Amino acid sequence: MKIKRRQFIKKTAALASVYPVSAIADSSVISQKKSYKKKRAIVISTWQHGIPANETAWKILKNGGKAIDAVEQGVRVVESDPKSMSVGLGGRPDRDGNVTLDACIMNEHGDAGSVCFLQHIENPISVARKVMEETPHVMLAGKGALQFALANGFEKQNLLTDQAKKDWQNWLKENRYTVPINIENHDTIGTLALDQHGDLSGACTTSGLAYKMHGRVGDSPIIGAGLYVDNEVGAATATGMGELVMKTLGSFLVVELMRQGASAQAACEEAVGRIVKKLAYKNMQVGYLAIDKKGNHGAYCIHPGFNYALTRKGKTKMIDCASFKK
Ligand code: GLY
């Protein structure tokens, strides 16, 4: 129904007598913004420990916070949980009994920070963020990373819990280096978020493979392998056997495929395809997660058994990932 100009002026004048015109205008802007926000924000994380990570991240996103804060705070919860035995405190040690940690982070500006082979620090993701924000470098390793962490107020502590020590001592009895896939259904935590402002960030952190060789570094702290974020396109993260991800620079590949027009799902499938076409993958798992700039997500892995946590509109659900092998 057409409203005549005179009627429109009358209606507007009536409303203005109750609400100042600026308030009418403001409230419509606010309601538009609200529906935009609710539709768009998303957080996605690898494995079951993705649930507490997402829940923490969502508290930041729902209040209009930044994706970079959401992903950092989300993965910190898992790093600090001694029951999560593949990340941070309580992580399984290398074959010599040392807990060595890898982590990286990327923000919406394409800035990146990373630490690898870091010992004695519970939250390597926050050290990686400091590297990103307060140094001219991207990656610090080993003793240098520890020195930087201590100089920036992080506390030195023993990360080898009684349980992890007991498991390692049992492993030493056989001293057989095999890597069971989907071990206890947990591994690296990779978290990606799109915030209400439309900005993307990601974080990735792990203690790496249980009983790895001393000095081994996996994909998780390597920008483009364990994590990649391009705020114009999308973000991706990886879990599983880091060597396969590093050889194919998996997360960068996923984002580049999205840049060329692939959906987040198709890009994850193609990145797994690269591995299975070229590399021996029989007893090795790799899983990718991706989100695009509009908040669509994708996920794909080699073998069944990988799952991930997805949060939208405040609701978190676990999803079993589609896999190349059935
Ligand atoms: N994806 C974790 C690692 O291979 O270290």
PDB file of all heavy atoms in Angstrom, residues 102 187-188 206-209 216-220 238-243, ligand 1:
ATOM      1  N   ASP A 102      54.187 -26.132  20.274  1.00  0.00           N
ATOM      2  CA  ASP A 102      54.168 -25.356  19.031  1.00  0.00           C
ATOM      3  C   ASP A 102      52.851 -24.592  18.964  1.00  0.00           C
ATOM      4  O   ASP A 102      51.791 -25.173  19.255  1.00  0.00           O
ATOM      5  CB  ASP A 102      54.195 -26.285  17.808  1.00  0.00           C
ATOM      6  CG  ASP A 102      55.457 -27.133  17.702  1.00  0.00           C
ATOM      7  OD1 ASP A 102      56.493 -26.747  18.270  1.00  0.00           O
ATOM      8  OD2 ASP A 102      55.378 -28.185  17.030  1.00  0.00           O
ATOM      9  N   ASP A 187      43.837 -34.052  19.476  1.00  0.00           N
ATOM     10  CA  ASP A 187      45.089 -33.668  18.819  1.00  0.00           C
ATOM     11  C   ASP A 187      45.197 -32.167  18.963  1.00  0.00           C
ATOM     12  O   ASP A 187      44.673 -31.599  19.905  1.00  0.00           O
ATOM     13  CB  ASP A 187      45.006 -34.117  17.352  1.00  0.00           C
ATOM     14  CG  ASP A 187      46.320 -33.981  16.641  1.00  0.00           C
ATOM     15  OD1 ASP A 187      46.629 -32.862  16.230  1.00  0.00           O
ATOM     16  OD2 ASP A 187      47.043 -34.973  16.466  1.00  0.00           O
ATOM     17  N   THR A 188      45.866 -31.555  18.018  1.00  0.00           N
ATOM     18  CA  THR A 188      45.984 -30.098  17.959  1.00  0.00           C
ATOM     19  C   THR A 188      44.643 -29.413  18.130  1.00  0.00           C
ATOM     20  O   THR A 188      43.649 -29.884  17.603  1.00  0.00           O
ATOM     21  CB  THR A 188      46.491 -29.725  16.541  1.00  0.00           C
ATOM     22  OG1 THR A 188      47.669 -30.450  16.292  1.00  0.00           O
ATOM     23  CG2 THR A 188      46.696 -28.243  16.389  1.00  0.00           C
ATOM     24  N   THR A 206      49.569 -26.883  20.027  1.00  0.00           N
ATOM     25  CA  THR A 206      49.691 -28.329  20.234  1.00  0.00           C
ATOM     26  C   THR A 206      50.978 -28.687  20.984  1.00  0.00           C
ATOM     27  O   THR A 206      51.941 -27.906  20.979  1.00  0.00           O
ATOM     28  CB  THR A 206      49.716 -29.050  18.863  1.00  0.00           C
ATOM     29  OG1 THR A 206      49.633 -30.461  19.056  1.00  0.00           O
ATOM     30  CG2 THR A 206      50.989 -28.749  18.079  1.00  0.00           C
ATOM     31  N   SER A 207      50.961 -29.889  21.589  1.00  0.00           N
ATOM     32  CA  SER A 207      52.223 -30.451  22.082  1.00  0.00           C
ATOM     33  C   SER A 207      52.803 -31.400  21.032  1.00  0.00           C
ATOM     34  O   SER A 207      53.820 -32.053  21.267  1.00  0.00           O
ATOM     35  CB  SER A 207      52.010 -31.181  23.411  1.00  0.00           C
ATOM     36  OG  SER A 207      50.956 -32.112  23.301  1.00  0.00           O
ATOM     37  N   GLY A 208      52.132 -31.492  19.895  1.00  0.00           N
ATOM     38  CA  GLY A 208      52.653 -32.295  18.776  1.00  0.00           C
ATOM     39  C   GLY A 208      52.483 -33.783  19.008  1.00  0.00           C
ATOM     40  O   GLY A 208      51.780 -34.227  19.920  1.00  0.00           O
ATOM     41  N   LEU A 209      53.127 -34.530  18.193  1.00  0.00           N
ATOM     42  CA  LEU A 209      52.995 -35.988  18.272  1.00  0.00           C
ATOM     43  C   LEU A 209      53.549 -36.508  19.592  1.00  0.00           C
ATOM     44  O   LEU A 209      54.645 -36.117  19.996  1.00  0.00           O
ATOM     45  CB  LEU A 209      53.780 -36.651  17.154  1.00  0.00           C
ATOM     46  CG  LEU A 209      53.249 -36.468  15.747  1.00  0.00           C
ATOM     47  CD1 LEU A 209      54.212 -37.105  14.769  1.00  0.00           C
ATOM     48  CD2 LEU A 209      51.871 -37.090  15.640  1.00  0.00           C
ATOM     49  N   ARG A 216      61.665 -32.339  17.207  1.00  0.00           N
ATOM     50  CA  ARG A 216      60.684 -32.357  16.113  1.00  0.00           C
ATOM     51  C   ARG A 216      59.687 -31.196  16.266  1.00  0.00           C
ATOM     52  O   ARG A 216      59.155 -30.931  17.332  1.00  0.00           O
ATOM     53  CB  ARG A 216      59.936 -33.693  16.126  1.00  0.00           C
ATOM     54  CG  ARG A 216      58.903 -33.846  14.986  1.00  0.00           C
ATOM     55  CD  ARG A 216      57.503 -33.560  15.442  1.00  0.00           C
ATOM     56  NE  ARG A 216      56.508 -33.888  14.424  1.00  0.00           N
ATOM     57  CZ  ARG A 216      55.250 -33.481  14.474  1.00  0.00           C
ATOM     58  NH1 ARG A 216      54.816 -32.748  15.462  1.00  0.00           N
ATOM     59  NH2 ARG A 216      54.398 -33.816  13.532  1.00  0.00           N
ATOM     60  N   VAL A 217      59.456 -30.517  15.158  1.00  0.00           N
ATOM     61  CA  VAL A 217      58.436 -29.470  15.108  1.00  0.00           C
ATOM     62  C   VAL A 217      57.435 -29.867  14.030  1.00  0.00           C
ATOM     63  O   VAL A 217      57.825 -30.342  12.960  1.00  0.00           O
ATOM     64  CB  VAL A 217      59.081 -28.100  14.763  1.00  0.00           C
ATOM     65  CG1 VAL A 217      58.029 -27.057  14.450  1.00  0.00           C
ATOM     66  CG2 VAL A 217      59.968 -27.628  15.926  1.00  0.00           C
ATOM     67  N   GLY A 218      56.158 -29.707  14.320  1.00  0.00           N
ATOM     68  CA  GLY A 218      55.125 -30.106  13.358  1.00  0.00           C
ATOM     69  C   GLY A 218      54.593 -28.940  12.549  1.00  0.00           C
ATOM     70  O   GLY A 218      55.244 -27.895  12.410  1.00  0.00           O
ATOM     71  N   ASP A 219      53.395 -29.120  12.024  1.00  0.00           N
ATOM     72  CA  ASP A 219      52.780 -28.103  11.165  1.00  0.00           C
ATOM     73  C   ASP A 219      52.172 -26.930  11.933  1.00  0.00           C
ATOM     74  O   ASP A 219      52.032 -25.838  11.390  1.00  0.00           O
ATOM     75  CB  ASP A 219      51.659 -28.737  10.324  1.00  0.00           C
ATOM     76  CG  ASP A 219      50.551 -29.301  11.219  1.00  0.00           C
ATOM     77  OD1 ASP A 219      50.886 -30.037  12.187  1.00  0.00           O
ATOM     78  OD2 ASP A 219      49.370 -29.013  10.979  1.00  0.00           O
ATOM     79  N   SER A 220      51.830 -27.168  13.205  1.00  0.00           N
ATOM     80  CA  SER A 220      50.981 -26.200  13.922  1.00  0.00           C
ATOM     81  C   SER A 220      51.567 -24.797  14.058  1.00  0.00           C
ATOM     82  O   SER A 220      50.818 -23.826  14.048  1.00  0.00           O
ATOM     83  CB  SER A 220      50.611 -26.757  15.298  1.00  0.00           C
ATOM     84  OG  SER A 220      49.944 -27.970  15.138  1.00  0.00           O
ATOM     85  N   ALA A 238      44.565 -26.861  10.458  1.00  0.00           N
ATOM     86  CA  ALA A 238      44.767 -28.298  10.233  1.00  0.00           C
ATOM     87  C   ALA A 238      45.002 -29.029  11.546  1.00  0.00           C
ATOM     88  O   ALA A 238      45.494 -28.447  12.519  1.00  0.00           O
ATOM     89  CB  ALA A 238      45.990 -28.498   9.331  1.00  0.00           C
ATOM     90  N   THR A 239      44.676 -30.303  11.550  1.00  0.00           N
ATOM     91  CA  THR A 239      44.999 -31.184  12.670  1.00  0.00           C
ATOM     92  C   THR A 239      45.467 -32.525  12.102  1.00  0.00           C
ATOM     93  O   THR A 239      45.211 -32.838  10.950  1.00  0.00           O
ATOM     94  CB  THR A 239      43.775 -31.382  13.586  1.00  0.00           C
ATOM     95  OG1 THR A 239      44.145 -32.204  14.690  1.00  0.00           O
ATOM     96  CG2 THR A 239      42.614 -32.038  12.846  1.00  0.00           C
ATOM     97  N   GLY A 240      46.160 -33.280  12.928  1.00  0.00           N
ATOM     98  CA  GLY A 240      46.609 -34.596  12.480  1.00  0.00           C
ATOM     99  C   GLY A 240      48.099 -34.615  12.234  1.00  0.00           C
ATOM    100  O   GLY A 240      48.862 -33.847  12.834  1.00  0.00           O
ATOM    101  N   MET A 241      48.523 -35.497  11.338  1.00  0.00           N
ATOM    102  CA  MET A 241      49.949 -35.725  11.112  1.00  0.00           C
ATOM    103  C   MET A 241      50.594 -34.530  10.419  1.00  0.00           C
ATOM    104  O   MET A 241      50.444 -34.321   9.210  1.00  0.00           O
ATOM    105  CB  MET A 241      50.098 -36.996  10.265  1.00  0.00           C
ATOM    106  CG  MET A 241      51.524 -37.344   9.967  1.00  0.00           C
ATOM    107  SD  MET A 241      52.494 -37.574  11.465  1.00  0.00           S
ATOM    108  CE  MET A 241      52.161 -39.269  11.833  1.00  0.00           C
ATOM    109  N   GLY A 242      51.333 -33.765  11.200  1.00  0.00           N
ATOM    110  CA  GLY A 242      51.883 -32.505  10.712  1.00  0.00           C
ATOM    111  C   GLY A 242      52.762 -32.637   9.494  1.00  0.00           C
ATOM    112  O   GLY A 242      52.794 -31.741   8.643  1.00  0.00           O
ATOM    113  N   GLU A 243      53.466 -33.767   9.375  1.00  0.00           N
ATOM    114  CA  GLU A 243      54.394 -33.928   8.251  1.00  0.00           C
ATOM    115  C   GLU A 243      53.626 -33.877   6.917  1.00  0.00           C
ATOM    116  O   GLU A 243      54.109 -33.309   5.932  1.00  0.00           O
ATOM    117  CB  GLU A 243      55.165 -35.250   8.398  1.00  0.00           C
ATOM    118  CG  GLU A 243      56.340 -35.190   9.377  1.00  0.00           C
ATOM    119  CD  GLU A 243      55.954 -35.088  10.862  1.00  0.00           C
ATOM    120  OE1 GLU A 243      54.758 -35.136  11.184  1.00  0.00           O
ATOM    121  OE2 GLU A 243      56.878 -34.939  11.700  1.00  0.00           O
TER     122      GLU A 243
HETATM  123  N1  GLY B   1      49.353 -31.484  13.945  1.00  0.00           N
HETATM  124  C1  GLY B   1      50.197 -31.502  15.060  1.00  0.00           C
HETATM  125  C2  GLY B   1      51.536 -32.032  14.775  1.00  0.00           C
HETATM  126  O1  GLY B   1      51.738 -32.807  13.863  1.00  0.00           O
HETATM  127  O2  GLY B   1      52.434 -31.697  15.519  1.00  0.00           O
END
